[in-house]
Amino acid sequence: MSVGRAIPISARALLLVLAAIGTAIVLVAPIDLSVADRPGTATAIADGFVPFGEASGAGMAAAAPAPELVGAGEPPLLDLDGREVRLLDFRGRPVWIVFWATWCPPCREEMPALSAAAEAFADRGLTMLAINVEEPPAVAEAYVTELGLDMTVLSDPRGRSMRQWGVFGLPTHYLVGPDGTIAWRSFGPLSSAEIERRAADATRVITPGGG
């Protein structure tokens, strides 16, 4: 065959090549966000999301039953006062779960707004569980004390909850509805306005006179 001579390719062969390329792209994609959240919530990964942990994929799906914070048979997580905390304890009220760490800049940026929302909407039934992952409890406690945060902070130095919930980066947010299903999820930091809006939406359905 002479150099530079074109090699004829049938239409069928070309389609097979294109299909193979498309399959390869899907297979190497690091994150699958195909599960859609409920209307009005974002499934995209926000700027500032810090990939972290051993899990891969999209985490827990919206509208799915929320699992316990850690696996069956494992000791429950403790708050910074040493009290055991289980998700089941809050059935019947909305629970906002955020996975975070003190070394994560976007986590640190949004924690004051999350604490403010936890305090502002507590009397409307909202529970905020901020799970500090893969850090000693003393590190989280020092940070919480320094900023004067008023929220329930759980310590998970071994990252057990991350594996249970498939967390693949920080900060990661989940809202568990009163019925125990995941109402929405968000990957990455939220603005103060977005945090307040979501907290109001989460509590509206259980507030007397709410829509």
Side-chain angles (χ1 to χ4, degrees), residues 15-170:
L15 289 174
L16 289 174
V17 170
L18 291 175
I21 293 174
T23 302
I25 291 174
V26 171
L27 291 175
V28 301
I31 298 170
D32 175 17
L33 296 178
S34 60
V35 179
D37 283 345
R38 292 181 180 177
T41 62
T43 57
I45 296 178
D47 292 339
F49 185 74
V50 181
F52 178 66
E54 301 174 358
S56 61
M60 301 301 300
E68 191 47 77
L69 299 177
V70 295
E74 294 189 26
L77 297 182
L78 305 179
D79 66 15
L80 296 182
D81 292 322
R83 294 172 297 207
E84 296 182 351
V85 177
R86 298 173 177 83
L87 185 59
L88 185 61
D89 297 338
F90 306 101
R91 181 61 62 88
R93 59 192 301 175
V95 181
W96 186 322
I97 300 172
V98 55
F99 295 87
W100 71 287
T102 64
W103 53 260
C104 164
C107 300
R108 296 174 66 96
E109 183 177 346
E110 70 176 5
M111 285 299 284
L114 289 169
S115 178
E119 184 176 6
F121 291 91
D123 62 350
R124 295 173 59 177
L126 180 66
T127 294
M128 183 87 68
L129 301 180
I131 304 179
N132 177 261
V133 294
E134 299 199 3
E135 293 187 299
V139 172
E141 185 172 8
Y143 176 76
V144 169
T145 301
E146 176 188 352
L147 270 66
L149 302 179
D150 185 14
M151 60 196 305
T152 302
V153 176
L154 309 184
S155 178
D156 185 11
R158 292 173 14 202
R160 295 181 294 137
S161 61
M162 291 183 65
R163 291 187 289 275
Q164 173 80 338
W165 283 67
V167 174
F168 58 95
L170 303 175

Side-chain angles (χ1 to χ4, degrees), residues 38 64 66 87 90-96 174-184 202 205-206:
R38 292 181 180 177
L87 185 59
F90 306 101
R91 181 61 62 88
R93 59 192 301 175
V95 181
W96 186 322
Y174 286 99
L175 193 285
V176 179
D179 62 352
T181 62
I182 296 173
W184 55 257
V205 294
I206 63 170

